[in-house]
Amino acid sequence: MDKSKEPFTFKNHGTYDIEPIKGIISSFTDEWFQNTERQATFKEHKTTLTYFLAWYPLSWNPGEPYVGTISNPESKLWPHVLPLIQRLEKLHDGKVGRVILPKLEANTAITKHTDQGGYLSVVRRHHIAVITDPKVKFIVGQDEKYLEPGVIWEINNMKMHRVINDSSIDRVHLLIDIIPNKAIGNETL
């Protein structure tokens, strides 16, 4: 179940219309500061700001019951994100975990790291670029890519990865985690 043994770095799962999402987040100001857990907890993400659409505990481990997400259903983004979540749940036969919009500041980087813990070892992690630039490079293992807007990329977050934003704009991705049903214990919500 642990992805560290899987040979992939990036998997392309098609495209998705991100224009409505881009339109909504273009007016964000204070929204980026509602939850600073990610950048405060992980030194690799100190140059990011994160808007949480759905929260799931990173302390969850494979074999435990699914606890459901604590979401932000009043967000104007939900009608535009929910169809993609449902599509990815079906693709991976799973349930949604964290759904966030991480913003990486211009001319900064997310340092090299591998994700740690039971939750992060089994989730299928997807990055969909919403606001980006060809000078933004995502590196997983030895593979480097510019993630074009609207392309759904699953990354192997158990391999060493980093992001370099050499552009003059803040990069924003939609990140969606799917927990495979085979990793979830019998007592689900």
Side-chain angles (χ1 to χ4, degrees):
M1 223 178 310
D2 182 336
K3 290 188 307 286
S4 63
K5 307 276 188 271
E6 294 183 32
F8 83 96
T9 52
F10 294 92
K11 284 185 187 177
N12 183 320
H13 293 301
T15 60
Y16 191 75
D17 180 11
I18 51 87
E19 288 305 313
I21 297 166
K22 185 176 179 179
I24 293 168
I25 65 171
S26 66
S27 65
F28 276 13
T29 54
D30 295 342
E31 290 87 347
W32 294 113
F33 300 95
Q34 290 174 352
N35 184 331
T36 59
E37 168 203 338
R38 192 165 185 257
Q39 58 266 33
T41 304
F42 302 103
K43 67 181 184 322
E44 299 87 2
H45 298 291
K46 67 182 178 188
T47 57
T48 66
L49 297 172
T50 306
Y51 179 76
F52 279 77
L53 277 162
W55 183 90
Y56 199 89
L58 294 179
S59 60
W60 179 88
N61 285 296
E64 294 177 354
Y66 179 74
V67 298
T69 59
I70 299 172
S71 61
N72 189 358
E74 69 277 1
S75 173
K76 294 177 186 175
L77 290 167
W78 267 118
H80 307 290
V81 174
L82 190 56
L84 179 56
I85 291 170
Q86 293 167 336
R87 175 176 159 186
L88 294 173
E89 284 178 327
K90 185 176 180 181
L91 174 71
H92 295 294
D93 184 28
K95 294 178 176 50
V96 68
R98 286 188 172 206
V99 180
I100 62 175
L101 285 156
K103 176 168 81 165
L104 176 61
E105 296 174 357
N107 296 302
T108 64
I110 295 173
T111 59
K112 191 185 308 188
H113 67 285
T114 56
D115 293 345
Q116 303 293 314
Y119 170 85
L120 292 166
S121 73
V122 298
V123 296
R124 308 317 290 199
R125 177 155 280 187
H126 306 86
H127 278 262
I128 303 94
V130 178
I131 299 171
T132 193
D133 183 277
K135 292 182 181 177
V136 177
K137 302 298 180 197
F138 204 125
I139 301 109
V140 179
Q142 301 300 312
D143 295 334
E144 177 180 305
K145 289 193 181 303
Y146 159 59
L147 305 188
E148 294 181 11
V151 179
I152 306 162
W153 288 102
E154 180 181 351
I155 68 151
N156 192 335
N157 58 308
M158 297 309 291
K159 297 195 180 294
M160 194 65 68
H161 59 281
R162 64 191 174 117
V163 182
I164 301 167
N165 183 356
D166 281 337
S167 78
S168 59
I169 65 166
D170 295 343
R171 180 228 68 181
V172 179
H173 279 188
L174 173 61
L175 187 153
I176 300 174
D177 287 339
I178 302 296
I179 306 166
N181 285 324
K182 66 183 179 184
I184 297 172
N186 293 333
E187 298 177 32
T188 60
L189 293 179

